[in-house]
Amino acid sequence: MTKGSTETPAKGALAVARTAVVAIAAAIAVMVAGLVLGGAVAEKVIPGLGDAGALTRWGLPVARVLMDLSGAVTVGALLAAVALLPLSGGKGAVRLGDDALGYLRAASWSAAGWGAAAAATLVFTVADVLGQPVGEVLTGSELSSYVGQLPQGTALMLVVLLTVVVALLARTTTTPAAAAGLLALAVIALLPPPLTGHSASAANHSVAVTGVALHVAAVAPWVGGLAVVTAHALLGRDRLAVMADRFSRMALWCYVLVGVSGLVNVIARLPDPAELLSTDYGRIALGKIVAFAVLGWFGWWHRTRSLPAVADGRRGAFARLAGVEAAVMAATMGLAVALARTAPPAPTTEESPVKALIGYDMPPAITPGRLATLWQFDFFFAALAVVLGGVYLAGVLRLRRRGDSWPWLRTACWFLGLLSIVVVTQTGVARYAPVLFSVHMVQHMVLNMLTPIFLVMGAPVTLALRALKPAAVRGDRGPREWLTAALHSRYTAVIAHPAVATIIFVASTFALYFTPLFESAMRNHLGHIAMMVHFLAAGSLFFWVLIGVDPAPRKLPYPGRILLLFVTMPFHAFFGIALMNLGEPLARGWYTAVHPEWATSILKDQHTGGAIAWGFGEIPTFIVLIVLAFQWFSDDQRQARREDRRADRAEARGEAGAADDELGAYNARLAKLAEQDRTRKG
């Protein structure tokens, strides 16, 4: 190895370290400025309450910004290994390349730092809440006592546990599927801390919680991805053009999602635009908006100037600009930490106990007209419907542009399914569901037993396999290859087994409602979203096995499908009967707190919900029977046409067709039976 070849990597590593130091310094400097201007670190002496001290006031935000930065770098390194760098090998032997394995190992180190920063944040958080110096918290028993009692403590403990798992497994993982699993785990680890901050106590906490979750999930791959692409350029490694192009396309979607979710968060906390200038929280939020606009300019410059320069081999210009952009991103994250430490403006009106629980005042007495007109915006399901509809429509248009057809009935089924989601999550049904169990049961039945039928009949996987283009690099995995790999994975084979899908569809309903899980889900908006998503996913899995058009690991014969339908549906009737015979209300604490004065008793309303569950099962059963009959008839017609074509080809070659062979064998059996009968009579 020559001297020049050893100096270049050393210079690249030095440039990476210098860029990282500048980014961290920018983040901390902007964070300090935000904390000082917002008054979050001003010493507040309140008689009778302890003071955690200057170490906690400054140590907590510093630990938080280091936790956020290391989390973004971990996600970025895993993203580079899984998606930004091309994979190696061919079909059936896809593996991570050398650079990808290097980023996987780097993710192990950054995850370890992430866990350490989360642990430090946990200690400082307990000290801040208790008003005790850090030394007393570490030497006493407060840390172990309050971790499980404080939502922030529980969230940070989850981060520590998840990051330890990522750090350990990233050192030994070598397959793309395992690396993708670690990426998903790292994204999950990002969510607990922000979801227990201001978003959980905002005036419109349902919108704020969803907004902050989407915001964090989009920021981390954007910031971390840029950091890794910049390091890749500074180190002079190969395939920078491919990596930068893929990151640029992903960053555009991240930018849009960050902007939309950030706007929703600001509106949820600052309903009056004047508060952007009149409050400390608003001014810091305005600073984030300005930084976001600057980052948009950087992105535009990269797409129009930097990417062509990289394609021409001029990586230096890209690395310098990307380094500056990384510093601006880090500074914006520091500003976000300062914003999280600054209290938003207090509500101008007194909040009722019901509004504190469900996010809005008690609705008036329920009527059919109010169910249709009292719309309740749910950011998560609104975004889900828009994304699923947009992606599906884009796939159909791509097929049409290249001259392929797509059945209009499948498109109609898909959008009918999305419409049913909107109806039960955005209208008055969503407004009354938290306070009336009977209306909640309508949501459950539609999302679990009606919506999935139409979504499955839309054949989204088949559309994706036809519309997505194969990976540009031979042996690599693009979206189409990842989808194919998921369909053929062992996990899919297990979960899509008819017995497993049926157990999930049936047993999860009983496990949810007849355990404390139901009340826990109702008390937490994120838990409520998870419950609704589970209803939708479990129903989609079951009906995919039953009437799915998309390819599946195992296809039941049509008699078996009908048998499975008639075996499964009575369990929902049994569930409804069990609800109708309740002697004590489910989730008594929740429904006692939110029960409307104009409604019937809690127990009677739950009996009504049981009747809805009992009677609703007839609707999907009837629809599925019609679909199965049509599919069975169409399948027989296809097989008959196939046999006719085979017979025609055999006749043209002067051979006996398979149908003739079967008819001859059948006639021979009949003749043999007749001969045996004559022999016995004789």
Side-chain angles (χ1 to χ4, degrees), residues 173-529:
T173 296
T174 58
T175 64
L182 291 180
L183 175 60
L185 197 64
V187 172
I188 293 173
L190 294 168
L191 300 178
L195 294 179
T196 54
H198 295 320
S199 60
S201 57
N204 193 352
H205 59 268
S206 63
V207 175
V209 165
T210 305
V212 76
L214 294 176
H215 194 76
V216 171
V219 165
W222 183 23
V223 176
L226 177 68
V228 175
V229 173
T230 304
H232 197 86
L234 293 173
L235 292 171
R237 293 179 175 173
D238 296 333
R239 296 187 169 179
L240 175 62
V242 175
M243 196 174 185
D245 179 67
R246 292 182 177 183
F247 170 74
S248 178
R249 282 181 279 150
M250 181 202 72
L252 176 61
W253 291 104
C254 289
Y255 186 81
V256 172
L257 185 56
V258 167
V260 173
S261 59
L263 181 62
V264 169
N265 289 331
V266 170
I267 293 174
R269 295 172 178 82
L270 303 174
D272 185 2
E275 292 178 328
L276 284 171
L277 298 174
S278 61
T279 63
D280 293 333
Y281 188 91
R283 285 187 285 269
I284 297 177
L286 189 61
K288 276 193 66 179
I289 294 173
V290 172
F292 177 76
V294 173
L295 291 173
W297 177 85
F298 274 108
W300 171 82
W301 186 274
H302 276 307
R303 292 180 70 88
T304 57
R305 305 290 181 86
S306 298
L307 292 182
V310 170
D312 293 338
R314 292 177 285 133
R315 63 173 65 216
F318 171 83
R320 286 192 295 272
L321 183 63
V324 176
E325 185 182 5
V328 175
M329 278 188 171
T332 307
M333 293 187 74
L335 199 60
V337 171
L339 187 66
R341 292 288 297 163
T342 304
T348 56
T349 58
E350 186 176 353
E351 190 175 68
S352 65
V354 171
K355 187 175 182 179
L357 290 173
I358 64 177
Y360 51 88
D361 290 322
M362 179 68 72
I366 187 170
T367 64
R370 287 168 178 161
L371 283 174
T373 58
L374 288 180
W375 283 58
Q376 174 67 28
F377 178 67
D378 189 298
F379 185 32
F380 177 84
F381 286 103
L384 180 67
V386 170
V387 170
L388 291 180
V391 171
Y392 192 94
L393 195 59
V396 173
L397 292 177
R398 174 174 286 187
L399 291 182
R400 294 290 175 84
R401 280 197 297 267
R402 72 185 189 200
D404 293 337
S405 61
W406 182 254
W408 67 267
L409 187 58
R410 291 183 182 178
T411 304
C413 286
W414 179 260
F415 282 96
L416 189 59
L418 296 183
L419 178 62
S420 67
I421 294 176
V422 172
V423 167
V424 297
T425 61
Q426 309 294 322
T427 65
V429 175
R431 184 175 288 267
Y432 285 95
V435 300
L436 292 176
F437 181 83
S438 55
V439 181
H440 164 81
M441 189 52 59
V442 172
Q443 273 190 326
H444 175 171
M445 291 292 109
V446 171
L447 290 177
N448 190 233
M449 301 181 69
L450 190 61
T451 301
I453 295 175
F454 296 109
L455 294 183
V456 165
M457 292 303 298
V461 177
T462 301
L463 175 63
L465 291 174
R466 291 183 58 187
L468 291 172
K469 298 177 181 179
V473 180
R474 184 177 179 82
D476 191 17
R477 277 186 182 176
R480 190 176 191 276
E481 287 74 19
W482 276 109
L483 180 58
T484 304
L487 286 173
H488 292 88
S489 67
R490 294 180 181 178
Y491 173 79
T492 304
V494 172
I495 200 171
H497 189 282
V500 176
T502 302
I503 291 173
I504 294 174
F505 183 62
V506 173
S508 60
T509 300
F510 289 89
L512 172 69
Y513 285 100
F514 296 108
T515 65
L517 282 175
F518 177 56
E519 183 164 2
S520 299
M522 295 299 291
R523 289 186 175 277
N524 183 284
H525 183 67
L526 204 62
H528 185 262
I529 290 177

Side-chain angles (χ1 to χ4, degrees), residues 49-53 55-57 59-61 63-64 117-158 160 196 341:
L49 296 180
D51 181 21
L55 178 61
T56 298
R57 283 196 298 275
L60 178 56
R64 182 62 185 269
T121 305
L122 174 60
V123 174
F124 285 125
T125 298
V126 174
D128 184 55
V129 172
L130 298 181
Q132 295 182 359
V134 174
E136 295 183 11
V137 171
L138 291 174
T139 56
S141 61
E142 289 83 0
L143 185 61
S144 59
S145 301
Y146 280 87
V147 164
Q149 299 180 21
L150 297 173
Q152 300 95 326
T154 304
L156 290 167
M157 182 56 66
L158 284 174
V160 173
T196 54
R341 292 288 297 163

Side-chain angles (χ1 to χ4, degrees), residues 77-98 100-101 104-105 169-170 172-185 246 475-478 481-483 485-486 489:
L78 293 171
L79 184 68
V82 173
L84 299 184
L85 283 170
L87 301 177
S88 304
K91 185 177 180 181
V94 180
R95 63 182 184 276
L96 297 173
D98 293 338
L101 288 174
L104 201 57
R105 304 301 176 255
L169 295 182
T172 57
T173 296
T174 58
T175 64
L182 291 180
L183 175 60
L185 197 64
R246 292 182 177 183
D476 191 17
R477 277 186 182 176
E481 287 74 19
W482 276 109
L483 180 58
S489 67

